[in-house]
C-alpha cells in the first residue's frame, strides 16, 4: 500500500487511545518552543547581534503581527472548505511541517548582508514562517475538537498537550540562550529545528487523525455564511472577548516581571527567570487539577473558577519585597494559569459542537482562526498598558536603578492591578457564556 493510501485510511472511528492522545499532545512542544524562542530573542538577535537599526526591526515586527493576524481567519475558513481523500486538516499539516521548521531555522542563519539586506531577509523568511506556522498550528488546533468529542475526553486529552507546551515554553526561553552561547546562533537554529521536526513527525504519524466520514457528504458553507454564523454566535462572542482579556492579562504579567524584579524587588535581572519559571512549573500539575474540576462540573463553571483564582492571585504581587515572596505569589498565579491553559480550548470546542448541532457544519477552522485574529490584539493592549504605566510613573531608562519612588508603585500596579482588571472583565464575559451543559450533542 502506498504512503498516500496509508494516510488516507488512517481514520478515527472511536475515542482515541492513550498513545494517540500523547502523540497528538506532543505537537505542543515544538509549537511553543518555536513561538517562545522567536518572541523572546528575535529582536535581540537582529538588533544587538546583527546591528540592524531597532526602528527597522520594530517596523518588521509590526508587519509580522499584521500578517499573522490576517492569516488566521483566512486559513481557518479555507481549511473548513477543503475536501480531499486524506481529510480536511491532514494535508495542510503534512505539507506545512518541513517549510515551517526550515523557515524557523533560517531566521537565525542569515547570510552576510548589509543592514538593508538583513531586514529584507527577515521580512521574507518570517513571512514564510508566519504562513507555515498558521497553516500547521491552526489545523492542529482544529483537530482537537474532532479527535476528542466529549468534555471528559477533551479534559484528559488536553493534559499531555499542555504539559508538552509548557515544557516547550520553558526551554524556548531558558534553553535557547544556553545553546547560542555554546554553539552559536546557527548551531542553535539547527539543533532546535531538528528537535521540532522529530516531535512534529511523531505527533503527525501517531496522533493526528480525522474522523471517518466526518464531512464527506457535507457541502462547504459559503464565505458570507461563515462570517455571519461565527459573529452571530451568542456563545462565541463572549468567549472570544474573555479570551482576549485573559491573554492580555498574561501578556502584561510576562512583560512586567523583569521590571518588577529589578526596580521593585531590587534583584538581579536574571532573577526574573525564577519568577517566570515558578508560574509555568506550577501550571503543569495545576493542569491535572483543572482537568478533574471540569470533568465534575462543566466548562463554563470550571473556567469561571480558574479566572477567579487567577484574578485574586495576581493581586498578591502588590505586597512582596523579596524574590522569595514574589515566587510564593507566583505559585498561586501558576494554579490559575494552568486552569486557563487547560480550559480555554475545551470551552471553544464546546462552542464548535453547539454550532455544528445548529448549522450541520463542523467549522473548527474558522472558529480557531477568528479566535487567533482577535487575541492577537493582546499584544497591542499589552504594549499600550506598559508604555502608559511606565511613562505615567516617571520611568527613565537613563537613570538605571535610581528611579523615582513612583516607579515602584507603577510597576506593582502594572503587574497586579491591571491584570486583575482585565481578568475581571474576562470573568464577566465568561459569566455571560450561555452554554451551561457539560456536553453538547453535535452533528456527526
Amino acid at each position: 500500500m502506498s504512503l498516500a493510501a496509508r494516510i488516507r485510511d488512517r481514520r478515527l472511528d472511536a475515542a482515541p487511545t492513550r498513545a494517540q492522545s500523547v502523540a497528538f499532545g506532543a505537537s505542543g512542544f515544538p509549537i511553543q518552543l518555536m513561538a517562545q524562542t522567536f518572541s523572546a530573542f528575535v529582536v535581540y538577535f537582529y538588533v544587538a547581534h546583527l546591528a540592524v537599526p531597532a526602528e527597522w526591526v520594530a517596523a518588521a515586527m509590526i508587519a509580522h503581527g499584521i500578517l499573522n493576524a490576517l492569516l488566521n481567519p483566512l486559513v481557518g475558513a479555507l481549511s473548513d472548505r477543503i475536501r480531499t481523500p486524506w481529510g480536511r486538516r491532514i494535508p495542510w499539516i503534512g505539507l506545512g511541517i518541513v517549510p515551517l521548521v526550515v523557515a524557523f531555522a533560517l531566521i537565525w542563519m542569515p547570510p552576510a548582508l548589509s543592514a538593508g539586506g538583513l531586514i529584507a531577509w527577515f521580512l521574507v523568511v518570517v513571512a514564510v514562517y508566519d504562513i507555515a506556522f498558521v497553516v500547521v498550528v491552526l489545523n492542529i488546533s482544529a483537530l482537537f475538537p474532532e479527535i476528542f468529542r466529549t468534555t471528559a475526553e477533551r479534559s484528559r486529552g488536553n493534559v499531555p498537550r499542555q504539559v508538552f507546551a509548557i515544557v516547550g515554553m520553558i526551554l524556548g526561553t531558558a534553553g535557547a540562550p544556553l545553546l547560542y552561547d555554546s554553539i552559536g546562533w546557527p548551531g542553535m537554529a539547527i539543533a532546535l529545528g531538528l528537535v521540532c521536526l522529530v516531535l512534529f513527525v511523531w505527533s503527525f504519524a501517531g496522533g493526528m487523525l480525522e474522523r471517518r466520514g466526518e464531512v464527506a457528504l457535507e457541502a462547504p458553507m459559503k464565505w458570507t455564511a461563515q462570517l455571519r454564523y461565527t459573529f452571530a454566535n451568542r456563545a462565541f462572542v463572549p468567549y472570544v472577548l474573555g479570551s482576549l482579556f485573559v491573554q492580555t492579562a498574561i501578556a502584561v504579567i510576562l512583560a512586567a516581571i523583569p521590571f518588577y524584579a529589578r526596580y521593585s524587588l531590587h534583584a538581579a535581572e536574571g532573577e526574573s527567570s525564577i519568577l517566570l519559571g515558578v508560574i509555568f512549573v506550577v501550571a503543569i500539575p495545576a493542569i491535572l487539577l483543572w482537568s478533574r474540576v471540569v470533568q465534575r462540573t462543566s466548562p463554563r463553571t470550571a473556567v469561571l473558577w480558574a479566572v477567579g483564582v487567577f484574578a485574586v492571585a495576581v493581586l498578591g504581587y502588590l505586597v512582596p519585597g523579596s524574590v522569595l515572596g514574589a515566587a510564593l505569589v507566583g505559585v498561586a498565579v501558576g494554579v490559575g494559569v494552568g486552569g486557563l491553559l487547560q480550559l480555554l480550548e475545551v470551552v471553544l470546542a464546546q462552542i464548535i459542537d453547539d454550532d455544528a448541532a445548529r448549522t450541520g457544519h463542523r467549522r473548527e477552522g474558522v472558529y480557531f482562526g477568528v479566535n487567533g485574529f482577535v487575541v492577537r490584539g493582546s499584544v497591542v493592549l499589552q504594549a499600550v498598558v506598559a508604555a502608559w504605566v511606565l511613562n505615567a510613573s516617571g520611568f527613565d531608562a537613563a537613570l538605571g536603578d535610581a528611579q523615582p519612588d513612583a516607579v515602584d508603585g507603577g510597576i506593582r500596579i502594572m503587574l497586579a492591578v491591571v491584570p486583575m482588571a482585565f481578568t475581571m472583565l474576562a470573568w464577566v464575559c465568561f459569566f455571560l457564556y450561555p452554554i451551561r451543559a457539560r456536553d453538547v450533542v453535535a452533528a456527526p
Side-chain angles (χ1 to χ4, degrees):
M1 183 183 293
S2 68
L3 175 62
R6 288 200 299 270
I7 295 174
R8 184 178 63 238
D9 290 342
R10 258 183 357 121
R11 294 303 178 99
L12 195 62
D13 296 307
T17 65
R18 179 174 297 180
Q20 289 170 334
S21 298
V22 172
F24 177 77
S27 62
F29 180 89
I31 289 170
Q32 290 301 326
L33 179 62
M34 288 188 293
Q36 293 301 317
T37 303
F38 180 88
S39 62
F41 300 109
V42 73
V43 173
Y44 171 78
F45 175 63
Y46 276 83
V47 173
H49 185 74
L50 299 179
V52 178
E55 60 270 21
W56 292 10
V57 176
M61 289 297 289
I62 292 171
H64 149 71
I66 293 172
L67 176 62
N68 189 282
L70 294 176
L71 282 169
N72 270 281
L74 176 61
V75 171
L78 287 172
S79 177
D80 284 340
R81 293 174 61 85
I82 195 172
R83 301 292 185 272
T84 78
W86 303 278
R88 293 187 295 173
R89 321 295 181 190
I90 297 299
W92 292 86
I93 300 168
L95 293 175
I97 287 173
V98 172
L100 171 58
V101 172
V102 171
F104 171 77
L106 290 177
I107 292 170
W108 316 99
M109 303 170 66
L113 298 168
S114 65
L118 287 170
I119 205 65
W121 173 272
F122 180 94
L123 287 168
V124 172
V125 174
V126 170
V128 175
Y129 168 76
D130 274 334
I131 294 169
F133 190 89
V134 172
V135 163
V136 172
V137 175
L138 187 143
N139 280 282
I140 291 174
S141 298
L143 282 178
F144 174 71
E146 182 173 338
I147 293 173
F148 306 99
R149 301 311 292 266
T150 67
T151 295
E153 286 181 15
R154 288 164 181 165
S155 63
R156 290 191 296 266
N158 207 29
V159 169
R161 188 177 177 207
Q162 295 304 329
V163 171
F164 274 113
I166 291 174
V167 175
M169 290 178 192
I170 295 171
L171 294 182
T173 52
L178 297 176
L179 286 173
Y180 69 66
D181 278 345
S182 59
I183 59 177
W185 292 93
M188 180 203 77
I190 293 171
L192 294 184
L194 288 174
V195 170
C196 289
L197 183 61
V198 169
L199 269 292
F200 269 134
V201 170
W202 170 32
S203 185
F204 181 78
M208 296 186 190
L209 306 164
E210 296 191 50
R211 295 273 171 178
R212 192 179 306 277
E214 180 77 4
V215 292
L217 302 177
E218 176 189 303
M221 184 179 285
K222 294 181 179 179
W223 290 95
T224 53
Q226 288 256 35
L227 295 175
R228 184 173 69 253
Y229 279 114
T230 300
F231 286 104
N233 189 311
R234 290 177 56 248
F236 179 70
V237 172
Y239 167 83
V240 78
L241 291 176
S243 183
L244 169 63
F245 293 138
V246 163
Q247 298 290 350
T248 302
I250 294 174
V252 170
I253 289 172
L254 296 182
I257 278 181
F259 292 93
Y260 182 66
R262 179 175 178 182
Y263 299 109
S264 292
L265 305 180
H266 306 292
E269 286 185 338
E271 295 196 54
S272 62
S273 297
I274 297 173
L275 303 184
L276 290 169
V278 165
I279 294 173
F280 291 118
V281 169
V282 172
I284 293 176
I287 287 170
L288 297 171
L289 166 68
W290 290 107
S291 176
R292 298 290 182 86
V293 172
V294 73
Q295 289 180 54
R296 285 163 172 73
T297 56
S298 70
R300 177 182 178 272
T301 300
V303 81
L304 284 172
W305 275 103
V307 171
V309 168
F310 181 72
V312 172
V314 296
L315 277 180
Y317 283 124
L318 287 171
V319 178
S322 68
V323 172
L324 176 60
L328 292 175
V329 174
V331 171
V333 173
V335 173
V337 168
L340 297 173
L341 292 174
Q342 170 69 348
L343 298 171
L344 286 178
E345 287 196 5
V346 174
V347 177
L348 183 52
Q350 186 182 55
I351 293 169
I352 292 165
D353 287 346
D354 179 68
D355 177 82
R358 291 184 294 104
T359 67
H361 293 264
R362 292 205 63 87
R363 301 187 301 120
E364 293 94 341
V366 75
Y367 275 107
F368 276 97
V370 173
N371 180 66
F373 174 80
V374 173
V375 299
R376 290 294 296 182
S378 64
V379 177
V380 177
L381 290 173
Q382 176 251 35
V384 170
V385 166
W388 181 78
V389 171
L390 292 174
N391 288 333
S393 63
F395 177 82
D396 185 350
L399 298 176
D401 292 334
Q403 297 293 328
D405 292 340
V407 169
D408 174 36
I411 290 172
R412 289 176 187 270
I413 288 172
M414 179 166 67
L415 182 59
V417 178
V418 172
M420 187 274 293
F422 276 114
T423 307
M424 293 313 298
L425 288 173
W427 193 92
V428 172
C429 291
F430 291 121
F431 181 79
L432 297 174
Y433 179 74
I435 302 176
R436 271 33 178 199
R438 182 181 303 172
D439 292 298
V440 175
V441 179

